[in-house]
Amino acid sequence: MNKKVSFALSIILLSSLVSCDSKTENSSFNSSSLESTNIDFKMVAPNGAPGLAYTDLLVNNPNNIDIAAPNNVVAAFSSNEYDIIIFDALKGANFIAKQNKKYKLASIITAGNCFVMSTGNKPSNDTISDDDYIVSFGQGSIFTELAKKVYNLKEDVDSIVSDVATAASILKSGLDGSNKVDYVLLAEPQVTSVVSQANNVTVKSNLTLDWYNYSKNLGLNSQKGYTGFVQAGLFISERLENDTSKKEVINYILDSINSTNLDLATNNGELTFNKLNQLVSNEIIDSNFFGINLDMIKKANNPTTSASKQANPFGFNYEAFDVNGFLNGASLANFPSLDDSVFSKYYLERL
């Protein structure tokens, strides 16, 4: 790693949002001789930030990459249509372990993108507590459990909606049905998008940073705390996992994603957004390809223009991430360590 990149990483330690157990030196394999052309794998990711990891692959393989609604990505685990899937890492791992889905977890794509948003119904100095009406999104999401722990909530959050878009709508209205809402857990780029539309909405807190401080104060992870948490993961089909002839191209894909993630995390995504803008200009993709306008995504990923004011707000991870090391150390209710069978050999080789 050159001095410039090393310096950048040290500056944004708390915002790089990668596991304190990760190892940079093992994050890249030597597959640079392989050109990113004619990679005949079908790939999918849910609407939102994680699909940005596919950017380098989009340049030469746009017809093989889909961005879809979360429910459609869930269905992809059963369809056998896709070779590579980006989805919630722990939910996907449960699909493998409990439903025998034919995929393996190969890497962690994002590791910490969640903010506590205020609807404006409580004063700015309010302390988050069980007295507040709190909405989260994504049933069984780890950040909901983290919020309970970090903010010392004795009860579950009041409502968990299906997806981030629904959570954003509730944040704008300040209502969940007839219930007056105080706080909403939300992810970028929806954070910046909603703040740009609703004057009363503000960022109350960065859950990822609060989790770091909380875990460090408890002495977790050998007194270092955790700078992030398990979020989006990349899964490869068992047919790719077992096809040794595909090893070079799979390593190339993983290296390409790591390179894109590094740019997004440490360089405000300058190289990545230049490529995406070129794809839009050439009408290869449209500006809403990722489910939200590309200009808004770029705005949200830059701390000088985003509502969250956070470097690497999407939590892009470019290193090895010890999932079970994190789960064992964090000791969260309902989130035990994963069975070894869910992990890809590519994950294990890079750990």
Side-chain angles (χ1 to χ4, degrees):
M1 181 177 291
N2 63 40
K3 292 182 178 179
K4 182 178 179 181
V5 172
S6 179
F7 176 75
L9 294 182
S10 65
I11 290 295
I12 63 167
L13 173 63
L14 297 186
S15 58
S16 62
L17 310 181
V18 295
S19 168
C20 292
D21 295 323
S22 55
K23 301 178 179 64
T24 305
E25 64 269 22
N26 291 332
S27 65
S28 179
F29 277 44
N30 294 322
S31 55
S32 58
S33 62
L34 181 66
E35 293 296 328
S36 178
T37 56
N38 299 320
I39 297 177
D40 193 25
F41 299 159
K42 286 283 289 180
M43 310 178 205
V44 67
N47 293 327
L52 291 171
Y54 285 144
T55 295
D56 273 354
L57 305 170
L58 267 171
V59 172
N60 291 298
N61 304 274
N63 295 327
N64 286 345
I65 297 175
D66 293 331
I67 305 297
N71 284 343
N72 292 337
V73 182
V74 171
F77 280 92
S78 301
S79 70
N80 294 319
E81 179 183 357
Y82 292 96
D83 302 284
I84 295 176
I85 299 174
I86 291 177
F87 193 63
D88 183 293
L90 299 181
K91 293 179 184 178
N94 280 330
F95 294 158
I96 297 168
K98 297 180 180 180
Q99 301 178 28
N100 198 31
K101 302 305 181 185
K102 304 301 182 182
Y103 287 86
K104 299 290 184 182
L105 178 61
S107 69
I108 297 300
I109 299 297
T110 61
N113 175 7
C114 189
F115 298 84
V116 183
M117 306 298 296
S118 172
T119 62
N121 289 333
K122 289 291 181 74
S124 60
N125 63 350
D126 179 61
T127 299
I128 300 169
S129 71
D130 286 310
D131 293 334
D132 301 314
Y133 193 100
I134 303 172
V135 175
S136 187
F137 67 93
Q139 194 67 42
S141 294
I142 193 170
F143 49 78
T144 307
E145 192 70 33
L146 285 173
K148 285 183 62 179
K149 212 172 185 59
V150 169
Y151 304 122
N152 194 30
L153 303 177
K154 306 302 182 185
E155 302 173 3
D156 291 335
V157 298
D158 297 273
S159 178
I160 300 177
V161 296
S162 60
D163 53 47
V164 68
T166 304
S169 296
I170 289 173
L171 177 60
K172 283 187 281 187
S173 70
L175 292 172
D176 180 23
S178 61
N179 296 302
K180 191 176 180 180
V181 176
D182 298 308
Y183 301 111
V184 177
L185 300 186
L186 200 67
E188 284 281 24
Q190 291 283 2
V191 168
T192 295
S193 178
V194 173
V195 170
S196 70
Q197 301 171 55
N199 293 332
N200 57 308
V201 171
T202 57
V203 179
K204 173 69 173 176
S205 198
N206 178 352
L207 176 60
T208 311
L209 184 57
D210 290 345
W211 163 240
Y212 166 74
N213 291 326
Y214 175 90
S215 60
K216 187 174 183 181
N217 286 340
L218 286 182
L220 302 183
N221 193 30
S222 302
Q223 312 299 318
K224 294 178 293 185
Y226 291 103
T227 59
F229 53 87
V230 184
Q231 206 159 15
L234 183 137
F235 298 85
I236 65 172
S237 66
E238 284 190 352
R239 60 180 175 274
L240 289 185
E241 174 81 5
N242 298 327
D243 188 344
T244 57
S245 71
K246 304 297 186 183
K247 185 169 185 176
E248 185 180 19
V249 69
I250 293 170
N251 276 319
Y252 177 84
I253 288 171
L254 295 175
D255 286 341
S256 171
I257 287 172
N258 283 346
S259 177
T260 298
N261 289 0
L262 179 65
D263 176 61
L264 287 161
T266 66
N267 192 38
N268 295 332
E270 182 177 341
L271 299 176
T272 300
F273 289 114
N274 284 342
K275 293 172 185 176
L276 290 171
N277 286 332
Q278 191 64 40
L279 290 171
V280 172
S281 296
N282 292 335
E283 299 183 346
I284 304 300
I285 63 173
D286 65 39
S287 59
N288 294 309
F289 180 78
F290 296 101
I292 192 167
N293 185 269
L294 186 59
D295 287 340
M296 183 60 69
I297 295 175
K298 183 177 180 179
K299 181 179 180 180
N301 196 55
N302 189 320
T304 64
T305 56
S306 70
S308 61
K309 305 302 179 186
Q310 177 67 59
N312 190 21
F314 302 146
F316 277 104
N317 176 55
Y318 45 86
E319 299 183 312
F321 192 111
D322 184 356
V323 173
N324 276 344
F326 171 83
L327 293 174
N328 288 328
S331 189
L332 299 171
N334 304 315
F335 291 95
S337 61
L338 303 179
D339 188 83
D340 290 345
S341 64
V342 309
F343 295 108
S344 165
K345 63 185 178 185
Y346 296 95
Y347 166 89
L348 297 172
E349 286 171 355
R350 292 166 179 250
L351 192 61

